[in-house]
Amino acid sequence: MTTSTGGLNPHVGGISYNPPIDAAKPKNAVEADFIVTGSNWVGLGFSLSDQGGLWGDGQVWAHIRPTGSYTIYASGLDHLIATGTCPVFHSSSLNRLRIEHNRPDNLLSVLVNEAPVLQRFDLDSIGFAPSLAFATAHIQTATGSSAGQTRMDNFRVFSLPDLPFSDGFEYLGRQALHHGRFAHRLLHQRVDALADLRRRALRRP
């Protein structure tokens, strides 16, 4: 999805979904990558329609803003579930937003760039059981934005096992470990290169 117009406008699209419950894969998920530049916010979730705004038809959904904040709702705007700052956020490149709903247990989870921002929230606690009739994306472009400035890629829906999260810090720890190992390898490569240069220098007449 690429915004066809700029200015203050909603851009909504989605697909029919509503899969049968699978005991082996009880979580239903929708995810997409967004460039948020030029938007008021970009949203994603399960909805009652593929054309109505998530603020009205959204069943469980979330949006992220160019400031790096997120907000999670249920039943349109009826229930504000959570709000905060994304632990991982890219102001000028793609951000992956994923909504997960465990239908047998009626639990909601949300991830931004693979870091969980909501884990297994019990929707029974607010007396709400969402419909998963449609998986829908909603881009709310901002005043003064231009066509194509905000974009969505890699929209997909799928089911998966209900494996527990630990916390967002595990993801950040994995990222730090990855970069730490890369830096360690790079340092060894540089040390090896310097040692090779020294050996060559000693062999010169």
Side-chain angles (χ1 to χ4, degrees), residues 11-67:
H11 305 264
V12 182
I15 61 170
S16 177
Y17 187 48
N18 204 30
I21 293 176
D22 181 347
K25 296 181 178 180
K27 283 202 296 190
N28 301 116
V30 55
E31 73 175 20
D33 298 334
F34 293 93
I35 289 180
V36 300
T37 306
S39 72
N40 275 339
W41 51 264
V42 297
L44 186 71
F46 295 109
S47 181
L48 296 174
S49 76
D50 60 348
Q51 296 296 320
L54 288 175
W55 49 48
D57 289 348
Q59 293 289 279
V60 285
W61 65 287
H63 68 58
I64 53 178
R65 295 182 180 273
T67 57

Side-chain angles (χ1 to χ4, degrees), residues 107-110 116-122 164-169:
L107 302 174
L108 175 65
S109 301
V110 178
V117 296
L118 181 71
Q119 300 184 46
R120 299 172 64 84
F121 176 82
D122 185 0
F165 294 118
S166 54
D167 55 41
F169 292 105

